[in-house]
Amino acid sequence: EGTFLDTNGTSHRHRKRHKPKESEQEHQAVLAEESKQAVALAVHAQPPLPHLPDWDMVDVESATVMLYTTIMTSPLLHVGEPKRRALHEIIKLWAAAHPSERCRHGAQRLNAFFSTMWPDSEMRAPEKVIQHEICGEGAPKERWVTCKGSQPDSRGFTCGLWLMFHTTAQRLPEADGGGKLFLPALRAFTAHFFQCDVCQTHFTKVLMAPEASVVHSRADAVMWLWRVHNQVNARLAKIEADYGHSSSGDAAFPKIQWPSVAACPACWTLQDTGEAEVAAGIPPLEVVEAEVAKYLERVYGESSPAAVAVAARQAQPVTDTTVGTIRQAEGSSDSVQQQQQQQQQQQ
């Protein structure tokens, strides 16, 4: 027996067949049956994920505020010219493409006067930069909706960062070579603000790989980030299979190769596999990247359900009743999340 990971990152046992003698026809029949079983594993063996929306602006804004606050409250992260340049790269990205209007405007205000507010002659970030509300007053802080884990210390910020980068990539300016804006910000974040040594080492290697050097357009950035995210998921899935957990893992949210077949059937197609692949338990599925690009646009783009919901909320007229309702909702976020979970169970 041996273990293998299917396309969803799930660990399975593979049992070698031992038969005295087998005709070629019987042998091919066995291979065909194992291929069918591999497809079944890829489609059905994945533990069911909790039914949640693909993303929520609360998670994206919370991750943005948390990252900026962490940098501004940690002297080692905002002292020196390298830190100043790194922060400016991230601010420029947010100013151009952050999915949250208030975060984007907050970054635009800071970007417009960044060199004046924090001149290169000053080593430490000035108080105006430290106290700047990157997403404005009232932005969520460490509130998680889609990124809420089954345990207090799981998912949350890490999940929010992924969502922030995916949704930002979808809004990069196409005409000006958005990928050239995206990669410098990711390199700056990884080199200076990634507070996970193992993650930083791995992501630095990813950013130095040849694939990163050809990211020029918005479409390049979107697909490159998707591939990288799946690479990370595959690495963490193996760690979780070997050791039972990873640093940011959550048993209720197993690391998978996404989109899953269930989420995007058109994103996968059957392919011919050889005897060695079948014997190793590799499902004969091949990703269709053109369909993945469409899926990512549907899920994270400006016309995605989550983005449309935010636009609808922002378009509502502000009345005394509306303000009171918002304040009441903000003061009872736990009860709101419970109601959402109940609604999701009914769906």
Side-chain angles (χ1 to χ4, degrees):
E1 292 186 354
T3 60
F4 69 92
L5 295 175
D6 65 19
T7 56
N8 293 321
T10 307
S11 179
H12 299 282
R13 304 293 292 180
H14 176 73
R15 181 167 295 170
K16 295 181 179 177
R17 297 178 178 270
H18 297 282
K19 291 185 179 180
K21 284 187 179 180
E22 203 173 55
S23 69
E24 181 62 24
Q25 185 176 3
E26 290 173 331
H27 182 62
Q28 292 299 324
V30 168
L31 292 179
E33 180 60 28
E34 290 184 342
S35 292
K36 292 179 183 179
Q37 292 175 359
V39 174
L41 283 174
V43 177
H44 301 295
Q46 173 191 332
L49 294 174
H51 180 70
L52 291 170
D54 294 297
W55 66 282
D56 193 286
M57 194 65 79
V58 168
D59 299 290
V60 173
E61 291 182 339
S62 288
T64 304
V65 171
M66 192 171 175
L67 174 58
Y68 190 84
T69 301
T70 299
I71 295 171
M72 291 298 106
T73 56
S74 305
L76 291 178
L77 298 183
H78 65 253
V79 174
E81 177 62 15
K83 303 297 184 188
R84 175 186 174 278
R85 289 197 305 269
L87 177 62
H88 199 188
E89 290 292 349
I90 295 173
I91 296 301
K92 286 189 290 186
L93 174 65
W94 287 346
H98 199 289
S100 165
E101 185 176 17
R102 57 182 172 182
C103 296
R104 189 169 62 255
H105 287 175
Q108 288 170 351
R109 289 193 298 271
L110 183 56
N111 185 49
F113 302 101
F114 192 85
S115 297
T116 303
M117 295 174 67
W118 189 356
D120 54 14
S121 59
E122 293 191 29
M123 289 290 292
R124 185 182 299 273
E127 196 64 22
K128 286 184 178 180
V129 176
I130 293 175
Q131 297 300 326
H132 182 72
E133 296 280 357
I134 192 63
C135 293
E137 295 182 1
K141 299 177 180 178
E142 296 189 54
R143 285 174 50 202
W144 312 111
V145 180
T146 306
C147 289
K148 185 177 178 61
S150 63
Q151 302 296 324
D153 60 346
S154 64
R155 304 187 80 230
F157 181 53
T158 302
C159 167
L161 281 176
W162 277 117
L163 291 181
M164 183 269 288
F165 283 125
H166 280 297
T167 52
T168 298
Q170 287 288 349
R171 290 157 179 78
L172 290 168
E174 185 61 48
D176 299 327
K180 296 180 181 179
L181 181 68
F182 190 70
L183 265 295
L186 265 184
R187 290 190 179 99
F189 165 75
T190 302
H192 297 280
F193 308 125
F194 210 157
Q195 300 300 288
C196 166
D197 292 340
V198 175
C199 311
Q200 184 186 51
T201 299
H202 176 259
F203 220 83
T204 298
K205 292 179 180 178
V206 169
L207 287 165
M208 293 176 63
E211 292 80 2
S213 64
V214 295
V215 174
H216 302 300
S217 67
R218 177 176 62 196
D220 293 339
V222 167
M223 295 304 293
W224 176 85
L225 185 64
W226 163 74
R227 295 186 196 101
V228 168
H229 196 162
N230 269 340
Q231 289 175 21
V232 172
N233 276 5
R235 184 174 63 87
L236 293 178
K238 186 176 187 310
I239 292 173
E240 291 174 1
D242 291 343
Y243 302 101
H245 65 86
S246 63
S247 59
S248 61
D250 189 322
F253 298 83
K255 299 293 187 294
I256 65 169
Q257 296 296 285
W258 64 282
S260 66
V261 177
C264 182
C267 293
W268 299 91
T269 184
L270 289 174
Q271 65 173 345
D272 294 331
T273 53
E275 181 177 342
E277 287 81 4
V278 174
I282 299 174
L285 292 175
E286 184 176 13
V287 68
V288 183
E289 292 204 350
E291 294 298 329
V292 171
K294 297 176 185 177
Y295 169 85
L296 294 173
E297 174 64 28
R298 290 196 304 270
V299 170
Y300 295 122
E302 294 184 82
S303 299
S304 65
V308 170
V310 170
R313 288 199 299 267
Q314 293 174 343
Q316 292 178 351
V318 178
T319 64
D320 291 341
T321 303
T322 305
V323 173
T325 302
I326 292 172
R327 288 176 177 171
Q328 182 179 6
E330 289 178 344
S332 57
S333 59
D334 290 340
S335 63
V336 171
Q337 290 180 358
Q338 290 173 1
Q339 292 175 11
Q340 289 177 337
Q341 292 173 356
Q342 292 172 0
Q343 292 172 359
Q344 292 161 3
Q345 291 172 356
Q346 294 171 2
Q347 293 176 349

